[in-house]
Amino acid sequence: MAIQYTPIDLINKISNNNFSYTTHRIKKVTETDTSIEKLQEKSESFMKKLKKLKRYSSGSISRDMLENQLTDFLKSYNDMKEGSESVTNKDVQKQITKLEKLFKDNKKELKKIGIEEVNGRYTLNSKTFDKAKDKNIDALFTGYDSFISKADKIMRNLDETAKDAVYSTVSHNTSTTTKYQELDLAYASYATLAQSAILSLNKCNAFVQSGNPSDAIVQEFVHDSLDYLGNSTNVILQIDPEKSGAVKQYYQLCLEHKDKLASVGLNFDGDTNQMTFDRTVDMTTNDYKSAFNELFGTNAAFGTELSESCKNIMNDILKTSKIEVSIIDEQI
């Protein structure tokens, strides 16, 4: 959600921060856990060796072939276990621990056929294996509840767990600083002033329509607001259209309503882009009141559209979409 500022608050914040604004973001990225990725390669190799033993049935292969399969099986297991040491994911480690426990729980049965743990690695003692009884080999490698079936179940769980854990969404705190020129803030300030002047004139419409200019304070306020709008316009129309396309719209609105503006004392020269205010214009005439109402009355198209142009100019100059800020209107 964008941070909200009034125009003045945002301008002051940028000005007080050495004409810059820093946007802080939380960026979510998908990262690959390389330790799990490497483990997957070793576990895939181990599962191939395991599947061969899972297909074992009594007398189906020679002792020599079975010995080779067991040797490959144990070597692959040792490699996978070593590869798992760098894995920090708790769910993956849980499956590795289950597999280690399975080997330890079957230590006696494995030893009967020559499988022993030496310095943390499992090896096959050929002499013991040659003398091993078929029933001891069958007990480990055949049947639903056998050692190899349990190992297969754990490895299938490990495979699924590793797939879920290898990619993870990680949040990173990032920041981007947008720099401004001092003139940019001046332009934004005048666009703010013009918008405030339009709002002030809208609130004074009832006084103007009354035709009773006896309240000198309010009359002066109307004059000042018109003067502020004129002076602000002179600065706004100096803005390079490449900085804000809304400047062209602002100019066009002033040009299209040139006669109405003149009726309330705002004389606009489209050739020089200059607007001057004549305080001597009579506020009590019907022409003045009608023009004022059409320009600044409730829902008047000119005032509404000119105010929107001011807001668009501020957004363009202050790059609010880039810095992820939303400008809210100030209330007078």
Side-chain angles (χ1 to χ4, degrees), residues 280-292:
T280 65
V281 174
D282 187 353
M283 295 177 62
T284 63
T285 66
N286 288 332
D287 283 347
Y288 185 100
K289 289 188 289 184
S290 176
F292 195 97

Side-chain angles (χ1 to χ4, degrees), residues 294-313:
E294 288 185 39
L295 292 169
F296 306 113
T298 303
N299 299 322
F302 173 79
T304 301
E305 292 174 12
L306 198 66
S307 179
E308 188 65 25
S309 294
C310 291
K311 189 171 183 178
N312 290 336
I313 290 170

Side-chain angles (χ1 to χ4, degrees), residues 11 19 32 78 88-90 97 114 146 149 153 175 188 198 202 227 237 242 250 274 285 288 298 305 332:
I11 290 168
F19 301 106
T32 303
N78 291 329
T88 58
N89 184 276
K90 292 180 180 179
T97 300
S146 65
S149 291
K153 182 179 180 181
S175 62
I198 295 166
N202 172 263
D227 199 18
L237 294 182
E242 290 187 2
Y250 191 103
Q274 290 294 302
T285 66
Y288 185 100
T298 303
E305 292 174 12
I332 299 177

Side-chain angles (χ1 to χ4, degrees), residues 235-278:
V235 176
I236 289 170
L237 294 182
Q238 293 178 29
I239 299 173
D240 187 339
E242 290 187 2
K243 277 186 174 289
S244 174
V247 173
K248 290 182 179 179
Q249 182 188 18
Y250 191 103
Y251 169 83
Q252 196 63 34
L253 285 167
C254 292
L255 193 63
E256 290 174 358
H257 294 80
K258 179 179 178 179
D259 293 340
K260 294 294 180 184
L261 289 167
S263 296
V264 298
L266 286 172
N267 299 301
F268 180 64
D269 187 334
D271 294 329
T272 61
N273 291 357
Q274 290 294 302
M275 183 178 284
T276 57
F277 176 54
D278 181 4

Side-chain angles (χ1 to χ4, degrees), residues 6 34 37 61 68 120 192 227 229 247 298 327:
T6 63
T34 55
E37 198 171 41
I61 59 174
N68 289 335
T192 300
D227 199 18
L229 179 58
V247 173
T298 303
I327 291 182

Side-chain angles (χ1 to χ4, degrees), residues 50 53-54 73 140-142 146-153:
L50 186 152
L53 290 175
K54 195 169 183 292
F73 171 78
L140 288 168
F141 301 121
T142 60
S146 65
F147 164 81
I148 204 69
S149 291
K150 290 179 179 178
D152 180 61
K153 182 179 180 181

